Each structure stands twice: as C-alpha cells, then as structure tokens.
Amino acid sequence: MHAPLVLSLSCSLFAPLVSADITLYNLFGQTTVDPNALQTSVSSAAPSTTFVTDPGPPHYTQLAAYNPINYYPQQYRTPHPRTRSFFGFSIEMSVATQLIGTNGTTLHVPFLNLMNIVAQRAGAVHIRVGGNTQETAYIVDHLDDGKMMEKNKEDASNPTSTPVLAFTPDLIYMLANVSSLINAKWYLGVPFNDTSNWRLQVAELSETILGDNLLGLQASNEPDLYAAHFHRQSNYGPYDFFGEFSLFTQAYDADSAIPIKNNLIAPSVSGTWTPESVWDTGFVEAYTQYLSHLAVERYPTDNCAVIFPNPNNPPHDPLQMIGTYLTHKSALSLTTQYTNSTMLAQGWGKPFLMFETNTASCGGFPGISDSFTSALWGVDYALQMANSNFTGALFHFGGQNVSYNPFTAAPTNESSLHDWTVGPIFYSSIFVAEAIGQTNTSQVKDLNPNDGNEFTPAFAIYENGNLARIALINFLSDASGANDYTATIYVGGTGFNEPNGVPPSVKVKYLQAPSVTEKDNITWAGQTLGKRFEADGLWKGEENIVTVPCDQAANSCVIKVPAPAAALVFFSDAAQKAVDPAGPQTFPTTVVTKTVNTVTIDPVVLATSNGQSEKNRAQGGTSHGSNAAARAAGVAPGVAALAYVLTGMSVAVRMLW
C-alpha cells in the first residue's frame, strides 16, 4: 500500500529573472556571449562556450509565502508502472558518426563511457538513431573510401536543409558492437518519403543484426509536417496518412526478410496534428497487430527563425524565454495535452513514448539549452511525463553547433586539442535514471507540494508499492541562500491511522550549480563530468552522498534544497545502492587516430590486445567484401577486437557483460 505523505516546505519566491547579454545572429546559428569576454578566442566550429550574464539578486515579493505550508496529499492515483530506462536519447542519423563511431569497429570511447553511466543506473539505455534524416536515407553495399555514411545536401528538398543520406550496413553493425559492450537498446526508422517504393532494408538488416537489442522501428517521422516541408500535397491530413500506412504495412507484411511484424512505432506527430486526430481515423484499431508502441514528438517551442528566417515566426529572445523553463508550469503544459492519449494507450495495451524532445527545436537556445536551466527543466519534465503515464522519453542530439545536445564531440579538426563537452541536460538523465531505478515497478507521483508552487515541484517514486525515493526541485536562483527551502517529509503517521513510516536517516544526492545560467560548474553528488572540451566520460572529484538524520518520534525528515538545485532523497540504503553502480573499468585503446600529441601505449599490450598479428591489423570494416559468416551471426567482423578512437586522454568504460 502507499503510505500517505505530508510535505511542509519553507521557501521564498521572487519575481521573473532579469538579465542582459549580447546575442549574435549569423548564418551558422545563434551564439550567446558574455559581454566581458568578447576578446576570448573561441573556435567557430564549437558550441557557445561562454556564460550569459547571471540574473543577480532576485526581487522579493509575496512575503506571505515565506510561511511554512503543510501539504496533505490527495487520494493516491496509481500511475502505470514505469519501466526502467525511462530517460533515453534520440540521435539524428546524420550525426551518428560524430557521436557513436566512424564505422562498425571504431567506436568513440567517450560515447561508450557516457551512455554506460546511464545504462548502469537504469539497467539499460535506450537510444534512437533516426530523425528527419531517416526519411530520405537509403542503404548501399559500400561507399567510396570505405566510408560508412555520405550526405548530399544538393538533393535535399525541404526548408530544414536535411541532407539525403546514404549509409552502409556498417552503421547497424556499429550499433550491435556498442551493445556488445554496454547494455544499449536501439530504435531505428524506416524511410517514409517514397510511398511507391518502400525501402525496407533498414528493417531487414536491423532485425537480423541487432536481434533482441532492437526495440522497434519508427514508421514515419512527424507526418504532420510533411506538407509544410513540401514532402506531400498542401492538404495532406490524418486520413491521407492512414492510407499510406496501409500501403506501408502491406509491403512490410509481404517482406519475408522481416521476421518480426509487430514492432512498428507510430504516428510520431509533432503537434501540428493532435494525436486524437489520428486516433479518430481508427488508426490503432486498424494497425494494432503491427504496432509495438504509440509515439509523439514535441518541443515546447522552437529557435528555427534564427536559421530559417520567417516573417510569420519571429526570433525568440532567450532572455525573455528563460523564465518559461524555470517553472513547473512548463512540464504541466507539455504533458496535460497528452493525458487523454496516454489513457487510451493503456486501454489499447500499447506503451506511449515521447519519441523526440528537448528544450527547443532547431537546436535550442544558447544560455538556456546549454545551461543549468535545462538540467532542472529536464528533470521536472521527465518525471512529469512519468507521472502522466508516458512509457519513456528520448532527448534529441543534433550537430556540432546545437545548444541542446546532451553531449557534443570535439570538432574533428580540434580532436587532438580538446575533449568532449557534456551538456547540462545529460545530468538530468542521470538524476532520472536513479530516481526511477531498475525494478520495472516504479510509479511516479507529482506531489504538488507547497500549494502547487510552480518553483518547488516534488515527486514521490514508489517501487512495489513502497516509497523508495522523493525528488525535490528548486527552480529559484539565489547564491545568498535566501531562496533555499526546507522540505519536511512525513510518511504515514497517526493522522492516517498508520504507523510512523520515516527511517532513522535518509541519503540525499544533489544536482547543483551556482546559478541557473551556469554552463560548466555542474555537479551530481559532488562530482562533475568536466567543463567544456574537458569531458571523457569519467567522473571527476569525490562523490558526496549526504546522510540526513530523521526524527522518528516526530515522523519527519527535513531536507534542505538550495537555490538552484534538485535533490534526490533515498528512503533506504537498498533504494540508493540499487541505482549506484560500481566504478567503470579501464580498458586498453587499440587504435590511434593521430601520430602526434597522443598518449603512448605499451607496445606489449598493443601487440596482444586484439589477438591479431601486425600484418592483419588494418582498420576493420563490415562493408562490401567483409566476412559474411560473421555478419550472419549478427556481429561485425572483429567484434572481439573492437577498436576505440583515442582522444588524447586515458579512457574507461564498462567491459563486456
């Protein structure tokens, strides 16, 4: 049974944030810079690396709100149990070589390390490779110079400049090789741009190569934008999509090379159509035998006008937008529009995914998407989706000049000088992974504390019907400490005719930064993944898990939440240890991409690390001419001797399971 909770919060409020900085607009996007740092040399190929001006001291208002407010929860409404790996990732197919690896046997070590951080905490990490570029992608046996992928923007036919993409089966072997090292599961997409010539090779190969590591195949990406992007006639609507999906499933069903027929994901509408407009066509009832998941895609707003000027969509000023992310109202407004659909999905027996999201489409906002603001927003949004019966959510990656990336590889021409950059929203994924855990029984409840104060949301996480963790968020930004708040948590008690439920003590992990505009100094339980161009996927610093004694006589635990911060409270040692993995293991690097400025590798280790003689140590591949027998087994040739790109630092990753 669910023990009743009472939260008493003591906190302060302040007026909307006010700040000033300089924003530069150009053909390559938007960059926000510190006016005091204009003389600093920064690579133009990299994301913005400087800070927006801190908002400064808040303006205090509504003094009555300083008084403690007791919250008595309503009757507990049981959300659908959340599966592990709730917070996943969506990688635009065209940037897979930047992030994952250059081919099937050369994987980027920071990618493995970072994704393994989530996989170890959540039990697995779910990753989609697709997006707009999947719609015009096609598979070829091989490409010139042994490349795995080739882009051709000359053939692009839409206003977002999405390239036409050619790739070899090596891309799918690369994903399989990642899964051989870490517990990564994959979503892929089938092109939907040519309804007279369905290209189903992605489905054929991914089912064969990935096996159980394939979670599903997206059929159509944002079909409600097809007309706006000139991929369909101007009056294209939900019933037209229904008809095309019929043609698709007929071809899908007739393809004997696709053994599994019930793993499609649709309709993936982005907001131009409501999900209900698709449900009303009878879509789910007609195609239920093919559908494994229902999905939508949604961003709270866009920053497209900076790159694609449009008089009907003027640019948004990040300084005016930042306050809209520092409130629980954002998560509520994004999720309430899907309440009906998640309820219907449960009735249909279908998981419901947020298949692509982030802070703003077209790359996000500098100063918001790449600051601590996005970390707090990501935690709140993800947990609110879990409360609203979403099954999972995938946060999107774009290219090098994108602000919202969970992490970004160093530009190729600077890879010998710089490491990777971890974005603030990646810390959200770690927080949520530990909050929801690995039991597949988690239920997340929005506690609506402090009279529903928009700046201090809180969530309870139950496992097997018992309180396991509570997440507390403070959106306020005030280094003075005046806007820190204290949450007093009561569990059970005589007021509910139950025994007192608080333990002798609880453990607390904090997600913190000096301010909501901070970009570098972000920590989880006292550790950081590094500043910009300093990340290799390894934690830096000492872990700090705070033990807070509780008053069992008063049946209360008092938790302080700084401004700004998010706190994850563990109500038992078991609840904390279940999501706190052992440290990563270091393994040797067997490929060096530069002949200068690289770490020296012991030649004895190098000579014996992959079981091959020197004459056979050419870079492996799985394109035309490679070993067919190894392909039939679903693993790229040389999987036992995977090579890893060296980025100029020692590296670590969890070894084979």
Side-chain angles (χ1 to χ4, degrees):
M1 94 180 265
H2 301 295
L5 296 177
V6 180
L7 297 183
S8 174
L9 279 73
S10 177
C11 64
S12 305
L13 302 177
F14 69 95
L17 303 175
V18 178
S19 62
D21 64 3
I22 297 172
T23 302
L24 306 178
Y25 297 90
N26 54 52
L27 293 176
F28 300 99
Q30 179 181 356
T31 303
T32 303
V33 298
D34 182 347
N36 298 317
L38 291 178
Q39 302 304 314
T40 302
S41 175
V42 179
S43 168
S44 61
S48 169
T49 61
T50 53
F51 298 86
V52 299
T53 303
D54 190 89
H59 300 284
Y60 297 101
T61 60
Q62 302 178 9
L63 296 178
Y66 283 46
N67 298 321
I69 299 172
N70 290 324
Y71 168 69
Y72 297 93
Q74 303 170 357
Q75 181 81 23
Y76 185 76
R77 177 181 62 81
T78 304
H80 191 68
R82 300 277 62 76
T83 57
R84 64 184 188 175
S85 310
F86 183 87
F87 195 123
F89 302 95
S90 167
I91 297 175
E92 191 65 43
M93 182 175 280
S94 60
V95 303
T97 52
Q98 294 178 20
L99 290 172
I100 305 174
T102 57
N103 56 47
T105 55
T106 305
L107 307 180
H108 298 323
V109 170
F111 176 85
L112 295 171
N113 284 335
L114 290 166
M115 287 301 185
N116 201 40
I117 287 173
V118 178
Q120 287 185 312
R121 287 161 171 78
V125 59
H126 292 178
I127 310 168
R128 170 226 193 179
V129 177
N132 288 329
T133 44
Q134 81 188 29
E135 297 283 55
T136 54
Y138 57 97
I139 293 181
V140 297
D141 289 337
H142 67 278
L143 292 168
D144 293 341
D145 302 323
K147 290 183 293 186
M148 183 177 69
M149 183 181 295
E150 189 170 80
K151 308 169 193 176
N152 183 4
K153 284 194 175 183
E154 296 300 322
D155 290 338
S157 60
N158 61 76
T160 59
S161 298
T162 302
V164 174
L165 202 66
F167 65 94
T168 71
D170 216 16
L171 173 65
I172 303 173
Y173 283 109
M174 177 177 70
L175 307 185
N177 284 342
V178 170
S179 295
S180 74
L181 291 171
I182 67 174
N183 197 6
K185 309 290 185 180
W186 305 93
Y187 298 103
L188 290 171
V190 180
F192 213 81
N193 69 319
D194 187 350
T195 58
S196 63
N197 180 30
W198 298 105
R199 302 190 301 282
L200 301 177
Q201 295 92 336
V202 172
E204 297 167 355
L205 290 171
S206 61
E207 287 193 5
T208 300
I209 297 169
L210 295 176
D212 291 342
N213 290 320
L214 178 67
L215 295 169
L217 294 163
Q218 185 188 33
S220 77
N221 180 67
E222 300 177 333
D224 50 338
L225 295 180
Y226 284 172
H229 292 171
F230 310 121
H231 295 316
R232 300 292 194 276
Q233 67 273 19
S234 60
N235 62 348
Y236 183 82
Y239 280 94
D240 299 297
F241 173 66
F242 180 96
E244 290 183 351
F245 206 85
S246 176
L247 297 175
F248 176 82
T249 54
Q250 290 173 40
Y252 193 74
D253 210 21
D255 191 334
S256 60
I258 303 174
I260 299 173
K261 306 293 187 182
N262 63 345
N263 63 347
L264 297 182
I265 301 167
S268 304
V269 294
S270 66
T272 301
W273 301 343
T274 64
E276 286 78 6
S277 68
V278 179
W279 313 148
D280 289 346
T281 67
F283 182 84
V284 177
E285 293 85 349
Y287 304 118
T288 187
Q289 70 187 85
Y290 301 104
L291 294 168
S292 62
H293 300 73
L294 303 178
V296 293
E297 302 181 12
R298 192 62 185 266
Y299 293 78
T301 186
D302 71 86
N303 196 23
C304 299
V306 173
I307 306 172
F308 310 109
N310 183 343
N312 297 319
N313 182 27
H316 301 292
D317 183 355
L319 297 177
Q320 300 299 318
M321 296 296 295
I322 189 170
T324 66
Y325 291 86
L326 295 168
T327 168
H328 189 50
K329 289 181 178 179
S330 175
L332 289 173
S333 66
L334 287 166
T335 55
T336 53
Q337 59 196 292
Y338 298 111
T339 302
N340 181 55
S341 289
T342 58
M343 180 184 66
L344 290 172
Q346 289 186 65
W348 288 321
K350 303 294 183 185
F352 194 85
L353 297 172
M354 178 59 73
F355 210 60
E356 179 180 323
T357 191
N358 213 307
T359 48
S361 59
C362 293
F365 296 107
I368 296 175
S369 305
D370 54 358
S371 74
F372 191 59
T373 292
S374 68
L376 295 178
W377 175 84
V379 168
D380 188 41
Y381 181 30
L383 291 178
Q384 189 61 40
M385 282 191 280
N387 171 83
S388 303
N389 287 317
F390 281 80
T391 310
L394 308 180
F395 286 73
H396 199 53
F397 286 83
Q400 289 281 347
N401 61 343
V402 166
S403 298
Y404 62 41
N405 283 340
F407 50 81
T408 306
T412 303
N413 62 348
E414 296 190 8
S415 60
S416 62
L417 304 175
H418 294 298
D419 297 335
W420 289 32
T421 297
V422 173
I425 209 163
F426 185 74
Y427 290 90
S428 309
S429 71
I430 302 169
F431 187 107
V432 173
E434 295 200 19
I436 293 180
Q438 303 183 22
T439 65
N440 288 330
T441 66
S442 297
Q443 295 166 294
V444 180
K445 173 64 178 174
D446 183 352
L447 295 175
N448 197 37
N450 200 14
D451 283 346
N453 186 286
E454 64 182 289
F455 303 117
T456 59
F459 299 86
I461 297 93
Y462 296 83
E463 289 183 339
N464 296 305
N466 299 310
L467 179 66
R469 293 170 281 273
I470 283 183
L472 303 165
I473 301 171
N474 189 348
F475 279 119
L476 307 182
S477 187
D478 179 14
S480 73
N483 275 293
D484 296 356
Y485 75 78
T486 299
T488 303
I489 302 171
Y490 305 87
V491 183
T494 57
F496 297 96
N497 296 317
E498 292 185 359
N500 290 354
V502 301
S505 64
V506 294
K507 291 186 176 180
V508 185
K509 288 186 177 183
Y510 287 99
L511 177 61
Q512 283 185 273
S515 76
V516 294
T517 56
E518 177 68 41
K519 294 189 178 184
D520 280 346
N521 187 16
I522 298 170
T523 58
W524 170 240
Q527 294 182 302
T528 182
L529 289 165
K531 297 180 179 179
R532 297 187 154 237
F533 305 114
E534 293 183 1
D536 56 6
L538 302 181
W539 289 107
K540 298 170 176 61
E542 295 296 323
E543 185 177 51
N544 180 25
I545 303 174
V546 180
T547 299
V548 177
C550 297
D551 187 338
Q552 289 187 293
N555 190 38
S556 64
C557 299
V558 179
I559 310 298
K560 181 179 179 180
V561 187
L568 186 58
V569 185
F570 298 87
F571 278 81
S572 69
D573 287 344
Q576 184 260 315
K577 291 179 180 178
V579 295
D580 202 12
Q585 294 178 300
T586 301
F587 64 96
T589 301
T590 56
V591 166
V592 177
T593 59
K594 300 287 185 182
T595 57
V596 296
N597 297 326
T598 57
V599 172
T600 300
I601 303 172
D602 185 341
V604 175
V605 174
L606 183 61
T608 59
S609 62
N610 62 8
Q612 296 176 334
S613 65
E614 184 177 0
K615 66 180 180 180
N616 294 324
R617 195 172 290 137
Q619 180 169 301
T622 56
S623 52
H624 184 69
S626 295
N627 187 301
R631 286 194 181 195
V635 181
V639 67
L642 286 178
Y644 301 94
V645 174
L646 184 68
T647 55
M649 81 294 285
S650 61
V651 294
V653 71
R654 187 179 183 281
M655 295 298 289
L656 287 168
W657 296 94

